């Protein structure tokens, strides 16, 4: 039986495409081969061949975000020094 191919056109973020192409190149693949592999896996598994879920921030990340908020408040209230560039930071470190 003869196989008939069909073209697919998709829109992706330019940076995502560049990064993906780099990864695929390192694996010895190209985008077309990858898409064909993904479609074959979709058919084989009768669903997505990977887990899809909303990411949940870890406890550590939430704690770090809270700490960052406290630091920003301390800077605003004059309890900590804040810097907007590296030169000021280095100058302050050298003064101490």
């Amino acid at each position: 039986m003869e196989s008939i191919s069909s073209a697919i056109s998709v829109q992706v973020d330019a940076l995502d495409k560049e990064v993906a192409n780099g990864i695929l190149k390192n694996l010895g693949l190209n985008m077309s081969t990858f898409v064909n592999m993904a479609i074959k896996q979709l058919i084989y598994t009768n669903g997505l061949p990977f887990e899809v879920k909303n990411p949940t921030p870890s406890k550590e990340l939430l704690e770090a975000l809270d700490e960052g908020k406290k630091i920003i408040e301390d800077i605003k209230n004059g309890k900590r020094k804040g810097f907007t560039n590296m030169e000021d930071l280095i100058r302050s470190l050298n003064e101490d």
Side-chain angles (χ1 to χ4, degrees), residues 44 50 56 82 87 96:
Y44 178 73
F50 48 84
T56 303
E87 291 80 17
D96 293 337

Side-chain angles (χ1 to χ4, degrees), residues 15-33:
L15 181 57
D16 288 348
K17 179 183 174 188
E18 183 180 329
V19 172
N21 274 324
I23 294 168
L24 291 170
K25 182 179 180 183
N26 288 337
L27 294 171
L29 301 170
N30 60 39
M31 191 65 71
S32 181
T33 301

Side-chain angles (χ1 to χ4, degrees), residues 40-59:
K40 291 290 186 186
Q41 283 298 304
L42 177 72
I43 294 166
Y44 178 73
T45 60
N46 194 29
L48 296 177
F50 48 84
E51 185 177 14
V52 177
K53 63 181 183 176
N54 287 323
T56 303
S58 67
K59 178 183 173 193

Side-chain angles (χ1 to χ4, degrees), residues 37-83:
M37 289 170 60
I39 289 172
K40 291 290 186 186
Q41 283 298 304
L42 177 72
I43 294 166
Y44 178 73
T45 60
N46 194 29
L48 296 177
F50 48 84
E51 185 177 14
V52 177
K53 63 181 183 176
N54 287 323
T56 303
S58 67
K59 178 183 173 193
E60 293 81 11
L61 175 59
L62 293 173
E63 288 171 357
L65 291 170
D66 283 341
E67 183 179 355
K69 289 176 186 175
K70 289 175 186 171
I71 290 170
I72 290 170
E73 281 302 311
D74 285 351
I75 291 169
K76 287 179 180 177
N77 296 329
K79 295 179 182 177
R80 291 183 190 236
K81 289 183 182 179
F83 306 96

